[in-house]
């Protein structure tokens, strides 16, 4: 929208003023991690300056302050995702730990040799490997929803995979390698009709698409703070309350227990049951500040702005001779993936860095989808709401130059 003031937003992010090799930084590696607004940096500094204490465990003033700050952050997450209760919000180290938590608890208890788990061809390794590790011990089958050559999930093939043995469908909301937005609600509804539970990986969707868990209705939803302008080392597992309370704990230790005897220990209900030991208190508080910041701008406005910017970038990039776009799904968010004819992806990354442009090159921890489309790696610019049309122009102009020079020297 015209009210979307990208220049005001950019002023909130001090690192965007950073100079790289004499050029102003152009951060287009948002799918790997996002930059942090001053309010998040200040919130963490304030925590350590005025509030720092362990939580839940002392009568003193600072314990009350830190506990309030931590639980306030949980409440912000609950509102942001439209969860029913703060008891459904478990803080983890990130998406990876949240998926491993579900595999080690719910998966451990509910998956056996007759069972099947459905993943999609788009998954990040974080939503493949934990299930493979568990499958080795439990003997269940892993099935994969295929994609077409543009990177769209084939829902009609998914329907054929569902059967009475399907216990879990675990899939990503947005592909980190291609940007495909999956038809999450349909996939979830179909899974539930088949009696399966659903884990939705929101690592790449939370910062681009408004999440309403009451509408989407997954059983588990996971994301990382660092992908939504918050700190690293903090993330979220959402689980439906009755489900979380029915499954065994993840790690044992302090904070997660009600009563410990050598003969028998009883556990707290969720979320404490899953938060053993001293967690990442300050960064949880920082994540709360990040989500408040995003709420202040509003995801509908962000989504609209980014969608237009992505279309602009796609149109320009398509016109560059020698560029092959990888993944041209009907619905996409944030990510462009491409290769240049005759020039290695690494060389493109290095040449872009020479003028201050940060993109990811490689397999993006999503080897199965790149291989499905015939690639081992790609160049991946990924946008956030602080990127501008001018930055896209510089990116595309630089790629044109690389192509031009590459004919001679690369
Ligand atoms: N899933 C997806 C779709 C991702 O993009 C990522 C991060 N690249 C992850 C999972 C893993 O997130 P983290 O490394 O923060 O645990």
């Amino acid at each position: 929208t015209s009210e979307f003031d990208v220049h005001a937003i950019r002023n909130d992010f001090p690192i965007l003023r950073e100079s790289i090799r004499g050029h102003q930084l152009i951060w287009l590696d948002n799918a790997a991690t996002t930059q942090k607004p001053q309010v998040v940096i200040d919130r963490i500094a304030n925590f350590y300056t005025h509030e720092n204490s362990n939580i839940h465990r002392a009568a003193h003033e600072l314990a009350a302050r830190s506990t309030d700050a931590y639980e306030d952050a949980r409440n912000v997450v609950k509102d942001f995702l439209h969860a029913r209760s703060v008891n459904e919000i478990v803080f983890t180290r990130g998406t990876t730990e949240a998926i491993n938590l579900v595999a080690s608890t719910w998966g451990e208890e509910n998956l056996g040799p007759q069972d099947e788990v459905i993943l999609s061809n788009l998954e990040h390794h974080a939503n493949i490997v934990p299930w493979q590790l568990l499958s080795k011990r439990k003997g269940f089958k892993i099935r994969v929803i295929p994609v077409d050559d543009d990177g769209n999930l084939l829902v009609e093939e998914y329907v054929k995979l569902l059967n009475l043995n399907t216990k879990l469908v675990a899939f990503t909301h947005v592909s980190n390698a291609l940007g495909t937005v999956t038809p999450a609600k349909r996939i979830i509804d179909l899974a539930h009709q088949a009696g399966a539970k659903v884990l939705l990986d929101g690592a790449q969707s939370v910062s681009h698409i408004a999440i309403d868990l009451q509408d989407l209705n997954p059983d588990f939803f996971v994301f990382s703070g660092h992908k939504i302008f918050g700190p690293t080392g903090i993330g979220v597992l959402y689980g439906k309350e009755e489900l979380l309370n029915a499954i065994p704990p993840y790690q044992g230790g302090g904070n997660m227990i009600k009563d410990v005897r050598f003969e028998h220990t009883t556990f707290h209900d969720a979320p404490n049951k899953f938060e053993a030991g001293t967690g990442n208190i300050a960064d949880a508080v920082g994540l709360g500040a990040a989500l408040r910041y995003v709420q202040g701008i509003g995801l509908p406005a962000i989504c609209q702005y980014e969608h237009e910017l992505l279309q602009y970038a796609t149109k320009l990039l398509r016109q560059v001779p020698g560029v092959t776009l990888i993944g041209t799904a009907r619905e996409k968010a944030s990510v462009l993936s491409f290769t240049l004819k005759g020039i290695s992806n690494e060389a493109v990354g290095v040449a872009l860095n020479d003028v201050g442009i940060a993109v990811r090159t490689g397999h993006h921890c999503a080897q199965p989808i790149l291989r499905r489309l015939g690639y081992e790696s790609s160049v991946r610019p990924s946008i956030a709401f602080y990127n501008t049309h001018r930055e896209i122009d510089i990116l595309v102009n630089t790629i044109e130059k690389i192509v031009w020079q590459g004919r001679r020297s690369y």
Side-chain angles (χ1 to χ4, degrees):
T1 62
S2 53
E3 297 106 74
F4 190 85
D5 187 348
V6 69
H7 298 288
I9 286 167
R10 290 180 68 79
N11 279 334
D12 295 334
F13 290 81
I15 208 169
L16 297 181
R17 295 191 281 274
E18 197 68 12
S19 171
I20 308 288
R21 298 173 178 237
H23 301 267
Q24 190 174 347
L25 170 67
I26 296 181
W27 184 255
L28 288 169
D29 198 13
N30 294 289
T33 201
T34 55
Q35 300 302 348
K36 318 307 170 200
Q38 192 65 51
V39 285
V40 169
I41 299 167
D42 289 347
R43 186 66 193 86
I44 295 166
N46 189 76
F47 179 84
Y48 283 123
T49 313
H50 299 292
E51 297 154 285
N52 181 50
S53 161
N54 213 324
I55 52 169
H56 297 311
R57 283 178 210 163
H60 55 70
E61 170 72 20
L62 290 191
R65 286 188 198 171
S66 69
T67 304
D68 285 352
Y70 184 74
E71 293 304 328
D72 174 64
R74 198 192 304 278
N75 200 49
V76 174
V77 175
K78 171 205 150 238
D79 288 344
F80 191 86
L81 300 178
H82 300 275
R84 274 208 180 101
S85 156
V86 284
N87 297 334
E88 299 179 316
I89 306 300
V90 177
F91 284 118
T92 66
R93 232 164 24 88
T95 305
T96 302
E97 190 182 46
I99 296 170
N100 277 279
L101 190 163
V102 175
S104 305
T105 58
W106 182 87
E108 185 70 38
E109 188 134 301
N110 289 283
L111 296 173
Q114 306 309 317
D115 296 330
E116 297 182 8
V117 168
I118 297 180
L119 309 177
S120 93
N121 207 336
L122 294 170
E123 297 317 302
H124 186 279
H125 298 163
N127 198 29
I128 300 173
V129 183
W131 304 113
Q132 282 176 335
L133 291 172
L134 188 63
S135 150
K136 276 230 168 73
R137 292 197 293 114
K138 294 289 190 169
F140 59 85
K141 268 204 201 73
I142 293 176
R143 308 219 159 206
V144 181
I145 310 172
V147 295
D148 65 18
D149 293 344
D150 294 325
N152 294 297
L153 279 191
L154 293 171
V155 177
E156 56 297 357
E157 296 300 317
Y158 163 59
V159 171
K160 291 184 207 158
L161 294 178
L162 285 166
N163 65 59
L164 289 174
N165 297 324
T166 311
K167 288 284 157 32
L168 177 73
V169 179
F171 71 105
T172 194
H173 198 182
V174 172
S175 153
N176 73 310
L178 309 181
T180 306
V181 179
T182 60
K185 195 171 153 67
R186 260 185 88 202
I187 292 178
I188 293 167
D189 285 348
L190 288 163
H192 285 157
Q193 282 165 30
K197 297 280 187 253
V198 177
L199 181 148
L200 183 60
D201 177 351
Q204 293 296 340
S205 64
V206 271
S207 69
H208 307 294
I209 299 171
I211 303 293
D212 181 348
L213 291 178
Q214 298 315 307
D215 178 49
L216 281 173
N217 197 29
D219 300 283
F220 300 106
F221 179 85
V222 297
F223 75 93
S224 300
H226 71 97
K227 308 248 189 205
I228 182 160
F229 319 106
T232 51
I234 190 77
V236 168
L237 164 67
Y238 156 88
K240 288 182 178 167
E241 188 167 0
E242 62 282 6
L243 196 54
L244 288 181
N245 283 330
I247 62 185
Y250 179 42
Q251 297 177 327
N255 208 31
M256 50 81 74
I257 56 86
K258 255 189 203 136
D259 188 70
V260 177
R261 294 163 197 266
F262 281 110
E263 299 74 30
H264 182 66
T265 290
T266 52
F267 308 119
H268 276 305
D269 286 338
N272 297 25
K273 181 165 80 176
F274 299 104
E275 294 183 358
T278 301
N280 196 346
I281 304 164
D283 291 319
V285 173
L287 173 58
L291 296 182
R292 272 211 177 93
Y293 175 79
V294 173
Q295 273 172 328
I297 298 164
L299 267 160
I302 291 170
C303 193
Q304 196 178 341
Y305 174 78
E306 288 185 356
H307 187 71
E308 199 275 317
L309 192 59
L310 185 62
Q311 284 192 323
Y312 178 75
T314 307
K315 188 173 138 243
L316 289 188
L317 209 51
R318 244 186 230 293
Q319 292 164 359
V320 180
V323 165
T324 306
L325 283 179
I326 305 169
T328 45
R330 286 182 294 275
E331 234 195 295
K332 287 195 30 164
S334 173
V335 173
L336 284 160
S337 213
F338 68 91
T339 58
L340 284 188
K341 199 173 168 200
I343 306 164
S344 79
N345 296 320
E346 292 66 36
V348 176
V350 168
L352 291 172
N353 181 59
D354 280 343
V355 295
I357 303 173
V359 300
R360 177 88 185 266
T361 60
H363 58 53
H364 322 304
C365 303
Q367 286 183 310
I369 185 57
L370 281 183
R371 288 193 178 139
R372 159 65 183 81
L373 300 181
Y375 299 89
E376 281 297 315
S377 81
S378 77
V379 184
R380 184 194 65 178
S382 50
I383 62 171
F385 60 15
Y386 43 57
N387 292 120
T388 63
H389 291 77
R390 190 172 159 271
E391 288 180 322
I392 297 300
D393 290 340
I394 297 173
L395 171 74
V396 174
N397 286 340
T398 309
I399 292 168
E400 274 170 350
K401 272 188 208 145
I402 295 169
V403 171
W404 181 241
Q405 287 162 359
R407 290 215 182 104
R408 291 170 301 163
S409 59
Y410 281 101

